[in-house]
Amino acid sequence: MFQATIDPIAGSLGLSALVACIPLVTFFIMLLGVKARAYISAIVALAAAVAVACIGFQMPLNFALASATQGAAFGAIPIVYIILMAVWFYQLTVVSGRADDLREFFDFVGAGDVRIQAMMIAFCFGALLEALAGFGAPVAITATMILALGIKPQKAALIVLLANTAPVAFGPVGTPITTAGAMVAGGDSALAVETAHHVAAIAGYQAPVLAFVVPFLLIFILDGTRGWRDCWAPTLVVSATFALSQWWCSNHFAYELTDVVASLLSLGAVVVFMRFWKPRGVAAARERLGLPAAQAHAEHSLTPGRTFMALAPYLILVVVFSIGKLGIPGMLASADIKIPWPIISGGVILNAAGNDPGTTFTLGLLSTPGTSILVAGIITTLVLMAFDEGGRYRITMGAAIREIGATIYRMRFSGLTIILVLSLAYVMNFSGQTMSIGQFLAGSGAAFAFISPVLGWVGTAVTGSDTSSNALFANLQQSAAQANPAYAAIDSDLFLAANTMGGVIAKMVSPQSLAIAAVATRVREADIMKSTLPWSLGLLLGLCCLVFLQATVLNFILP
């Protein structure tokens, strides 16, 4: 039997946490310093994690290797499977020619202003995909759409990764917050539901701040302060509508549907607003971005039928996910296969808190978002085949199937990177390395409120999942807050929300997200990270300040 401890290095928590950082530091040095390929960096970091686990944290070698294989399995299914299906789904619209019509639709709505179009796609539409699918699907799909606008690949990668922060706390279908409630409830389902609702309500006073800021940042990245001067009005419409919708839904409606409502209302609001407001500086902006002149509105050839068919694939995707996530989730989950992982299952491996860290692998045949995207893709192909306008938008089922093979080939190295990164995360989690880092940060006294979001940031940066970050640190956040005399009078759910929001901001720098963006844009992961890391750290600093204020002078505003 192996039980992880948080201070195996000379009985020192600080020294143990420092040693536990070696795999992460190794990965980033290889990626940014050595400029190695991402999968090579992940292999070296994984080897470092196994070495630290066995030598520093006294984990048997067979346990460490078994942990790595379970992480690889989770990386392959559902993560790589979801990404593969998401990229394939978009390629169906490209093969059929409907992607051109969708681009023309956004061009028409945005009155030729590529800045507004990019904001609508990356932020509004991306939030809807995050609400329904998550797991990298929004980045994979919106990146290809942003590239189709003519935006340069590296800038497109930064835009979609930054846009994918705001909706993550409540997507897919509120899973990160539901997980936080379940982790601290101790098996009490009623308490889990109550906790999740309260955490969601508190997050509803944090996430809208980020949601309000992000669209302005997107416009600035695209066109600097000139973009703000030209596009402040529609950007304000999107920001305010999304932020208010997030607050209202998380506090007064169903937090599971927060991003669905916010994305649809913000997209609808800007579409209506653009009917009465004319963009400024469109031609100059396109010239600065190196794009050809915008097509005049009179020259747009979209008919209502073509517009509907351009949007139809995504309407189908929304319907399929709504049925799967909100209609028959129990039926789909009944087909899940629970696999006790060899060597480490059955309570053989315990984490530092004395609990099984998740040594049973769930093979979700029907419940995984990847299968939902596959079903939506098949239905979409049939619909596109039936309404091809006399062969103008021709696609066959054979062409759709061949495109799966082509997508697998294109993302072979990035898929390998994701699998290796998840292997790294599982070794660090199961050996106690992640808990050691977290416990060290938790012992910060009165500064804990400021540091609390950093725990969530670290968890997501390692695992690539806000849900996984909450699974790792929810209990730690609660226990650390309750044991901290500086915050004895503060509801510990504030720190569960802070963990969730910290994970939100780390999504743009997690190796998994970087690999997904690299597949879609064909930009090196290291180059993408150089552009996203400053934004992530800046937003994290702002969040830390916000949580500290909410734990002290602004505590009265929280639900």
Side-chain angles (χ1 to χ4, degrees):
M1 178 173 289
F2 168 75
Q3 180 163 359
T5 57
I6 60 174
D7 56 353
I9 311 296
S12 168
L13 176 59
L15 187 57
S16 299
L18 183 63
V19 172
C21 291
I22 290 176
L24 298 179
V25 173
T26 299
F27 181 84
F28 292 125
I29 288 177
M30 288 293 298
L31 191 64
L32 300 177
V34 181
K35 299 187 183 300
R37 295 286 298 272
Y39 71 92
I40 298 295
S41 302
I43 290 173
V44 176
L46 175 58
V50 171
V52 170
C54 297
I55 299 173
F57 284 73
Q58 289 88 51
M59 186 183 209
L61 178 60
N62 59 334
F63 283 15
L65 296 178
S67 301
T69 58
Q70 186 179 347
F74 181 76
I77 301 175
I79 305 300
V80 172
Y81 177 40
I82 293 170
I83 300 163
L84 168 66
M85 289 295 100
V87 174
W88 168 71
F89 184 85
Y90 178 75
Q91 285 301 118
L92 294 178
T93 65
V94 174
V95 172
S96 67
R98 295 291 183 180
D100 294 332
D101 282 355
L102 182 64
R103 184 170 61 253
E104 192 170 350
F105 166 75
F106 280 113
D107 184 55
F108 178 74
V109 171
D113 194 325
V114 71
R115 300 164 296 185
I116 299 174
Q117 297 166 36
M119 178 179 63
M120 292 169 62
I121 294 170
F123 188 75
C124 301
F125 185 60
L128 180 61
L129 294 176
E130 178 65 36
L132 297 170
F135 291 101
V139 172
I141 292 176
T142 58
T144 51
M145 297 174 69
I146 294 294
L147 287 174
L149 295 176
I151 303 297
K152 293 181 179 179
Q154 186 159 348
K155 184 171 288 190
L158 174 58
I159 288 170
V160 297
L161 287 170
L162 180 59
N164 191 231
T165 56
V168 167
F170 297 100
V173 201
T175 302
I177 290 175
T178 301
T179 301
M183 293 303 296
V184 302
D188 187 334
S189 58
L191 178 60
V193 172
E194 180 182 351
T195 302
H197 279 283
H198 192 219
V199 172
I202 296 175
Y205 283 81
Q206 298 169 344
V209 177
L210 181 63
F212 186 86
V213 170
V214 165
F216 286 97
L217 296 182
L218 299 179
I219 296 298
F220 178 79
I221 290 169
L222 278 167
D223 197 29
T225 55
R226 294 176 181 176
W228 281 347
R229 289 196 297 268
D230 292 343
C231 304
W232 69 268
T235 306
L236 180 62
V237 169
V238 169
S239 297
T241 304
F242 197 99
L244 289 173
S245 299
Q246 271 196 327
W247 169 80
W248 180 79
C249 285
S250 59
N251 279 266
H252 302 290
F253 189 45
Y255 76 86
E256 297 90 343
L257 298 178
T258 294
D259 283 342
V260 175
V261 174
S263 59
L264 291 176
L265 287 181
S266 59
L267 185 58
V270 73
V271 168
V272 172
F273 181 79
M274 293 300 294
R275 298 292 300 272
F276 305 97
W277 185 85
K278 184 177 180 179
R280 296 178 298 178
V282 175
R286 295 183 71 89
E287 183 177 352
R288 287 192 296 271
L289 290 169
L291 304 177
Q295 185 180 17
H297 287 181
E299 297 177 18
H300 277 286
S301 58
L302 279 181
T303 63
R306 286 175 58 193
T307 301
F308 177 79
M309 287 303 299
L311 297 172
Y314 302 99
L315 296 175
I316 293 170
L317 187 67
V318 169
V319 171
V320 170
F321 268 102
S322 298
I323 294 173
K325 293 291 185 180
L326 306 177
I328 54 172
M331 183 184 302
L332 298 179
S334 65
D336 290 354
I337 300 175
K338 304 288 186 179
I339 305 173
W341 207 251
I343 300 176
I344 58 174
S345 64
V348 174
I349 179 172
L350 303 174
N351 64 20
N355 304 313
D356 188 308
T359 57
T360 297
F361 176 69
T362 301
L363 180 60
L365 298 176
L366 300 180
S367 59
T368 175
T371 299
S372 297
I373 300 175
L374 174 61
V375 171
I378 293 173
I379 296 173
T380 295
T381 302
L382 294 173
V383 170
L384 294 177
M385 289 170 59
F387 300 94
D388 65 354
E389 295 194 19
R392 178 177 182 177
Y393 299 97
R394 179 174 173 76
I395 186 174
T396 64
M397 190 60 70
I401 294 173
R402 287 193 297 273
E403 193 59 36
I404 294 179
T407 303
I408 292 174
Y409 181 78
R410 282 200 304 273
M411 66 175 293
R412 61 194 185 282
F413 291 121
S414 295
L416 176 61
T417 300
I418 293 169
I419 290 172
L420 291 168
V421 166
L422 266 295
S423 295
L424 165 69
Y426 268 63
V427 173
M428 291 187 66
N429 297 344
F430 286 8
S431 66
Q433 295 174 57
T434 305
M435 289 295 292
S436 182
I437 298 170
Q439 193 68 51
F440 177 75
L441 292 176
S444 53
F448 179 68
F450 186 84
I451 295 176
S452 176
V454 178
L455 284 172
W457 191 93
V458 170
T460 299
V462 173
T463 66
S465 165
D466 198 22
T467 299
S468 297
S469 179
N470 279 348
L472 283 173
F473 292 136
N475 279 311
L476 177 61
Q477 291 273 14
Q478 184 187 61
S479 59
Q482 291 174 345
N484 194 323
Y487 300 108
I490 303 299
D491 194 320
S492 61
D493 287 350
L494 168 63
F495 302 99
L496 298 182
N499 194 85
T500 302
M501 291 304 302
V504 163
I505 293 171
K507 284 284 285 187
M508 71 175 83
V509 295
S510 71
Q512 175 184 315
S513 296
L514 294 175
I516 295 167
V519 172
T521 61
R522 300 185 181 182
V523 178
R524 292 177 68 250
E525 290 91 338
D527 294 332
I528 297 175
M529 186 174 182
K530 286 180 181 178
S531 62
T532 58
L533 184 58
W535 292 101
S536 182
L537 294 178
L539 291 173
L540 177 63
L541 177 61
L543 176 64
C544 289
C545 294
L546 174 62
V547 173
F548 181 79
L549 291 174
Q550 290 178 332
T552 52
V553 296
L554 296 181
N555 182 253
F556 67 93
I557 70 172
L558 297 178

